[in-house]
Amino acid sequence: MRQTADDVVRLAQEAGVQLVRLQFTDILGVVKNVAIPAAGLPDALAGRVLFDGSAVLGFVRSEEADVYLLPDPETFRVDPPGLEDPPAARMVCDIVNPDASPFPGCPRSALKRVLDQAGEMGLAIQVAPEVEFFVFERDQQGRATIRTQDQGGYFDVSPGDVGEDVRRAAVLELLAMGFPVAASHHEVAPGQHEIDLAPTDALYAADLLVTLRVVVREVARRFGCHATFLPKPVTGINGSGLHLHQHLSRMADGQNVMAQDGHLSSMGRRYLAGLLAHAPGYTAVANPLVNSYKRLVPGYEAPMYVGWSESNRSPLVRVVTAPPDRLHLELRSPDPSANPYLAWAVTIQAGLDGIARGLEPPAAQPRNLAAAADADRLGLRRLPDSLASALDALKRDALMREALGAHIAEQFLEAKRIEWDVYAEEVHAWEIDQYLTVY
Ligand code: GLU
Ligand code: MG
């Protein structure tokens, strides 16, 4: 049973909540919130909180700055004690026009449109993200660094490591907020951690990820550290991914339609083929920073080629076959800097397109690819190798732009092209190191 507006008002009263944060993200996935007093909840739930959208990147052209926040009662969560006193609560919102129609610049509404299409095909989609991040020290002035004392590795217990304490505290707070945390562990690189969520409705999984990033950063700050979801903060060690586990079931009876006799069903194969076919097109959205492409390089467990496998972890898509009744696909390219609503929207749209067009995937990738020559021999395409080429690929992929909606696609491409141009014009420390004394 979903929470209703009445439940929200009652829960807020019971918890003594005084402030409610109405949370939403801009096109670039940056979390914004408008705080209202608890007494304003009935009005807010009726969609009567107005804000000036022109202050938020990508939301509005200046002549249509008035938009409303429409909170989703299901997303109401009281923050755990300790985060704020008296306790605050938060609710995730859609952005709507004055006539209550979805605002075209609302990323959450873009995802809903794609999920509605799945619904029309009789399909329900659950997503389980694996979120990787680093916990770094701050310097004496409190500024974030990329330093860590921690020497831990994959699944290690690293006593005395403040990063472990941050992760544990963050997970306890997420559990207290009702998050379906499935597991958490130290990741391969020093200072790197992972939190895995259990599969949830795709829309709520995106909402959860937005809040998770806020909670982890806030908890780290309390420990005097800095948590970052930047995909590749340190040269020479693993970057941080956001592996997306996608489950597909029949709406009518919840039957897993990806599985057949312990392998991918024909529908699963088609969904997989769609994920592969549109991979270049959705990469700019799943890997939206200049820095994202420094993660998608050889040697750090991140994919570079458009391939799939049932037996190894290196390809773009892995078929997760155990347990057989939960068989599903894991997409390994996205990173945690992505706007989750948009990343889910484009990748799910890609999979649905595979089903709609009856696409067949190429042969499975046989093993870990050791060298680019192997990929060439197998005829595997390379994922875009920079933000610039990913933007070109998105421009060429009409369906991926449609998944975003024309308004978001246009604003996204424009903002990201500027980001790339600024980066490309900058003279970087590497160039000075390499060239200054040689030429
Ligand atoms: N950190 C790796 C990445 O960039 C993934 C490691 C893993 O397999 O969990 O995607
Ligand atoms: Mg991992």
Side-chain angles (χ1 to χ4, degrees):
M1 261 261 281
R2 298 256 179 245
Q3 279 177 174
T4 63
D6 290 344
D7 294 335
V8 167
V9 173
R10 182 177 47 78
L11 289 167
Q13 257 162 14
E14 283 170 10
V17 165
Q18 305 218 346
L19 274 187
V20 181
R21 299 191 184 285
L22 302 181
Q23 182 173 302
F24 55 98
T25 67
D26 72 6
I27 288 177
L28 303 185
V30 178
V31 194
K32 311 278 175 184
N33 74 76
V34 174
I36 58 158
L41 268 176
D43 255 10
L45 287 157
R48 287 200 284 268
V49 173
L50 181 70
F51 81 104
D52 177 8
S54 64
V56 178
L57 179 99
F59 262 177
V60 273
R61 295 169 217 107
S62 52
E63 73 273 18
E64 43 169 298
D66 281 352
V67 286
Y68 289 83
L69 292 175
L70 183 63
D72 181 340
E74 176 63 18
T75 64
F76 179 84
R77 293 283 182 282
V78 178
D79 285 354
L83 217 55
E84 262 178 273
D85 186 30
R90 62 185 76 230
M91 247 187 311
V92 180
C93 305
D94 288 335
I95 316 293
V96 295
N97 290 315
D99 67 0
S101 60
F103 179 70
C106 171
R108 194 169 191 262
S109 302
L111 174 56
K112 281 178 155 179
R113 276 199 310 274
V114 173
L115 296 175
D116 284 349
Q117 280 179 42
E120 281 159 23
M121 296 163 80
L123 299 171
I125 293 167
Q126 290 199 316
V127 171
E130 292 181 14
V131 196
E132 296 178 341
F133 56 94
F134 281 83
V135 178
F136 290 126
E137 294 169 4
R138 288 183 184 273
D139 68 14
Q140 305 216 308
Q141 281 76 45
R143 286 176 305 223
T145 71
I146 52 168
R147 277 200 318 266
T148 166
Q149 299 296 328
D150 153 37
Q151 293 306 317
Y154 199 46
F155 280 88
D156 279 357
V157 178
S158 182
D161 168 23
V162 65
E164 290 277 328
D165 298 340
V166 168
R167 192 186 75 234
R168 186 174 338 102
V171 164
L172 290 175
E173 296 211 347
L174 294 169
L175 287 169
M177 292 172 81
F179 271 58
V181 178
S184 72
H185 59 84
H186 203 297
E187 250 302 342
V188 169
Q192 193 182 30
H193 298 270
E194 174 172 318
I195 298 177
D196 303 335
L197 299 183
T200 335
D201 271 10
L203 182 67
Y204 295 116
D207 292 335
L208 292 174
L209 180 59
V210 172
T211 303
L212 182 149
R213 292 192 298 210
V214 174
V215 171
V216 169
R217 292 175 64 123
E218 179 56 33
V219 170
R221 198 185 55 75
R222 270 194 270 139
F223 280 83
C225 298
H226 176 69
T228 182
F229 297 90
L230 185 67
K232 185 82 173 188
V234 182
T235 313
I237 57 174
N238 270 19
S240 293
L242 174 75
H243 300 170
L244 282 190
H245 294 256
Q246 301 191 344
H247 299 251
L248 202 61
S249 57
R250 195 157 53 205
M251 240 173 183
D253 56 6
Q255 173 84 23
N256 180 355
V257 292
M258 277 188 175
Q260 194 166 29
D261 308 326
H263 293 281
L264 265 186
S265 64
S266 69
M267 192 179 281
R269 292 177 64 82
R270 290 170 175 186
Y271 192 94
L272 163 65
L275 279 178
L276 300 177
H278 291 284
Y282 60 67
T283 296
V285 178
N287 306 89
L289 304 185
V290 166
N291 180 263
S292 297
Y293 297 84
K294 308 212 162 151
R295 165 176 166 258
L296 302 175
V297 298
Y300 300 103
E301 301 186 271
M304 283 178 69
Y305 298 98
V306 182
W308 70 282
S309 170
E310 272 193 9
S311 54
N312 75 59
R313 284 170 180 270
S314 74
L316 177 65
V317 185
R318 178 167 78 102
V319 183
V320 183
T321 49
D325 59 324
R326 299 295 292 158
L327 183 143
H328 65 274
L329 298 176
E330 174 190 6
L331 178 66
R332 294 175 55 86
S333 64
D335 72 55
S337 67
N339 178 327
Y341 300 105
L342 300 182
W344 281 209
V346 285
T347 56
I348 292 170
Q349 181 85 74
L352 294 180
D353 186 48
I355 296 176
R357 290 201 287 146
L359 300 181
E360 264 302 306
Q365 184 179 311
R367 59 194 160 81
N368 285 339
L369 293 174
D374 289 348
D376 281 350
R377 203 169 26 76
L378 294 167
L380 296 177
R381 285 181 301 164
R382 169 89 164 82
L383 285 172
D385 62 357
S386 69
L387 181 58
S389 56
L391 292 173
D392 290 343
L394 172 58
K395 237 182 181 161
R396 286 194 299 270
D397 193 327
L399 186 75
M400 294 297 93
R401 282 186 282 110
E402 197 182 308
L404 299 173
H407 178 95
I408 293 181
E410 192 185 303
Q411 301 267 337
F412 181 87
L413 284 166
E414 189 183 321
K416 289 291 165 185
R417 179 57 65 178
I418 293 171
E419 193 171 319
W420 173 261
D421 288 346
V422 171
Y423 168 75
E425 283 167 21
E426 175 88 19
V427 177
H428 298 271
W430 183 91
E431 297 167 80
I432 301 300
D433 287 351
Q434 293 288 312
Y435 303 139
L436 187 64
T437 56
V438 179
Y439 296 96

